Amino acid sequence: MAEIAIIGGGPSGAMCGEQLARAGHQVNLFDEHLAWEKPCGGGLTHKAIQCFPFLLDNSYPKKLVSSVELISSDDQRAAVEMPHPIVIYSRTVLNGLLLDRAKEAGCHVHRSRVMSVETAAAKPRYCLEGEWREADFLVLAAGARNQLLPGTRPLQRDELEMTQGYFVPETADAITIKFLPHFEGYLWSFPRCDHLSVGICGSMASHTSTELRSHLQTFVEKQNIPTEGAKFYSHVLPSPKERTLSERTVLGKNWALIGDAAAWVDPLTGEGLFYAIRSGELLGKSLAAGCPEKYPAWVKATFSMELEFAARIVRRFYRGSFLGSAVTTRLVQFMRRSPVFRQLMADLMSGTQDYSSLKRRLWGHLGITISEFISSVLCLDRPARARVPGTGSAGD
Ligand SMILES: Cc1cc2nc3c(=O)[nH]c(=O)nc-3n(C[C@H](O)[C@H](O)[C@H](O)COP(=O)(O)OP(=O)(O)OC[C@H]3O[C@@H](n4cnc5c(N)ncnc54)[C@H](O)[C@@H]3O)c2cc1C
């Protein structure tokens, strides 16, 4: 019956609280807002639904969307029907659902802001409204803006994306994704039950907030999305590099990071909800089994290879070119031309095709040009770079 304090009641913290309370621990979860409309698209892919079927099988309001329209930077369009819908929630509803489950499992949920944490002593401490309290273990689930990092470094600018957007009181039946020239990120419109979450994400190291705002404005005007009176938001999103995933510490002797605080987000798509919930579950299970030291290895075995893969190709995907056009433009063109490629993209977007097994699907079913296109984006066609001491690299 260890006493565990969880700081942050978003998807990662709530899932961790549920797991630990079910295992009989005494769990206190603190969130300054509890269930709130955290800036987010709110989209859950099929891999999240497969792993956590309760995210679909419940009576909480949500929207199931199977159609996606991709728009290239030069305004060519391709539509795709996904084999499994993206399940889109308002974040107030999704956070509420996960917190309700944590409470039902016996987790004590408090609306409070944790001001600071201290982990040097054997028992970690956290400060609530000027009063220090002790626990046996601290779970840091306070998201991407989290400043409570006892034994690890904060994320740097190139490991973060800036996001801006609007909640617009309109409805639609398809997701829209728009690419921009020489831009590391994209614009989106995600339809929810009674409104749209429309926004833009872009690398914080490469783009300014003025640039993002201007692209967002052009997008809503071109898409005829009325933003007068709509609520504007901005937030940060982790965008891990290979070094983030391989070097940044996420576990200490009496604390651990989960979700966005640990930077478990796909840097190519910005998908973070699945990784937040999954990492909360994995930490909860490792703590419940009395072996928190296994948490990083379990994350590695479960999903961090996918994130590493995305981190390796993200720059080439958004900035690269293939046969004289931007990779994202070729992607839209190939989707229009090839039903097999369209199917592949539908599977990737709905989360039924992972990056790691993409190579196997490449040759054979797709035409040569498209196979070469994908190989080039995934950097599969490059010769291995052998280091020759003192002479730089050979094999280029
Ligand atoms: C604009 C945008 C769009 C996105 N769209 C999608 C999408 O469509 N699909 C997807 O999968 N992912 C999306 N993401 C990513 C997703 O939102 C995150 O990965 C996810 O919310 C991470 O969950 P979390 O529990 O780790 O953190 P959060 O959801 O950020 O939760 C952290 C919680 O901690 C609380 N908190 C912070 N500091 C303190 C403190 N000191 N004391 C007490 N409480 C504190 C906050 O109130 C918050 O509730 C998007 C992100 C952004 C910014």
Side-chain angles (χ1 to χ4, degrees):
M1 281 284 285
E3 208 179 304
I4 292 159
I6 301 178
I7 301 158
S12 61
M15 174 50 92
C16 190
E18 179 188 332
Q19 293 296 319
L20 289 165
R22 278 198 203 293
H25 293 281
Q26 190 181 326
V27 194
N28 283 300
L29 180 152
F30 303 93
D31 194 294
E32 57 184 330
H33 305 298
L34 294 182
W36 65 295
E37 203 49 66
K38 193 232 152 207
C40 189
L44 289 160
T45 55
H46 187 62
K47 69 172 176 264
I49 303 300
Q50 262 182 319
C51 201
F52 303 106
F54 73 85
L55 290 169
L56 182 62
D57 302 333
N58 63 62
S59 57
Y60 291 73
K62 57 191 140 333
K63 182 146 179 144
L64 275 55
V65 180
S66 298
S67 314
V68 182
E69 185 179 46
L70 273 88
I71 312 174
S72 68
S73 57
D74 60 358
D75 285 332
Q76 297 181 62
R77 290 165 188 255
V80 62
E81 285 300 311
M82 290 176 293
H84 300 280
I86 302 277
V87 179
I88 309 182
Y89 279 95
S90 129
R91 282 298 301 270
T92 307
V93 173
L94 179 64
N95 286 22
L97 156 67
L98 290 160
L99 285 169
D100 284 351
R101 288 175 58 93
K103 280 189 258 182
E104 277 157 27
C107 173
H108 303 285
V109 173
H110 313 269
R111 184 178 189 147
S112 298
R113 179 174 170 77
V114 173
M115 306 306 291
S116 141
V117 296
E118 214 283 306
T119 57
K123 280 202 158 206
R125 301 191 308 151
Y126 55 99
C127 183
L128 269 184
E129 290 154 19
E131 185 199 330
W132 282 92
R133 298 188 189 179
E134 266 185 4
D136 293 307
F137 198 92
L138 286 189
V139 177
L140 299 154
R145 284 184 175 150
N146 173 36
Q147 301 293 315
L148 307 172
L149 299 165
T152 195
R153 64 172 178 82
L155 293 171
Q156 292 158 353
R157 283 182 76 77
D158 69 337
E159 296 169 302
L160 289 166
E161 283 187 11
M162 198 180 337
T163 66
Q164 295 180 357
Y166 292 100
F167 296 122
V168 182
E170 288 277 312
T171 52
D173 291 319
I175 290 171
T176 307
I177 305 283
K178 160 101 174 107
F179 300 113
L180 294 163
H182 313 293
F183 189 89
E184 266 172 71
Y186 62 91
L187 291 138
W188 75 85
S189 165
F190 269 42
R192 294 173 170 180
C193 280
D194 57 359
H195 66 277
L196 305 175
S197 175
V198 182
I200 181 167
C201 56
S203 158
M204 207 181 251
S206 312
H207 308 295
T208 63
S209 56
T210 317
E211 210 183 322
L212 260 69
R213 191 74 188 248
S214 149
H215 286 309
L216 180 59
Q217 215 44 48
T218 310
F219 175 66
V220 291
E221 279 164 21
K222 274 196 174 170
Q223 292 293 113
N224 289 322
I225 299 172
T227 53
E228 213 172 297
K231 195 170 179 292
F232 179 76
Y233 63 70
S234 86
H235 204 80
V236 289
L237 176 66
S239 183
K241 300 276 177 210
E242 285 175 82
R243 69 168 196 279
T244 327
L245 299 161
S246 61
E247 293 165 10
R248 191 163 174 261
T249 310
V250 294
L251 176 81
K253 69 175 190 311
N254 49 23
W255 60 270
L257 302 177
I258 53 176
D260 275 16
W264 306 135
V265 174
D266 181 328
L268 193 64
T269 62
E271 179 178 12
L273 289 170
F274 168 67
Y275 302 107
I277 301 172
R278 194 76 167 105
S279 62
E281 184 193 42
L282 291 174
L283 178 67
K285 287 201 162 139
S286 68
L287 274 167
C291 48
E293 69 282 0
K294 292 196 173 154
Y295 165 61
W298 286 3
V299 165
K300 189 148 191 81
T302 310
F303 64 72
S304 78
M305 271 153 73
E306 282 286 292
L307 305 187
E308 279 162 29
F309 191 92
R312 269 201 300 280
I313 65 164
V314 62
R315 198 175 157 78
R316 171 133 186 79
F317 180 83
Y318 287 115
R319 295 259 193 190
S321 62
F322 183 78
L323 300 177
S325 277
V327 161
T328 48
T329 303
R330 289 288 182 221
L331 181 106
V332 172
Q333 288 171 343
F334 287 141
M335 277 173 70
R336 287 167 66 96
R337 216 170 69 189
S338 158
V340 188
F341 184 68
R342 208 159 44 241
Q343 184 59 50
L344 174 78
M345 288 306 297
D347 292 346
L348 270 169
M349 284 187 282
S350 70
T352 47
Q353 167 71 58
D354 55 23
Y355 300 131
S356 358
S357 57
L358 198 55
K359 277 187 242 172
R360 260 178 274 139
R361 190 165 165 185
L362 256 189
W363 304 98
H365 300 295
L366 297 161
I368 289 177
T369 317
I370 291 177
S371 297
E372 277 172 357
F373 168 66
I374 302 174
S375 306
S376 136
V377 176
L378 306 185
C379 305
L380 300 180
D381 52 350
R382 289 203 189 153
R385 288 159 68 100
R387 296 285 303 175
V388 179
T391 59
S393 57
D396 282 329

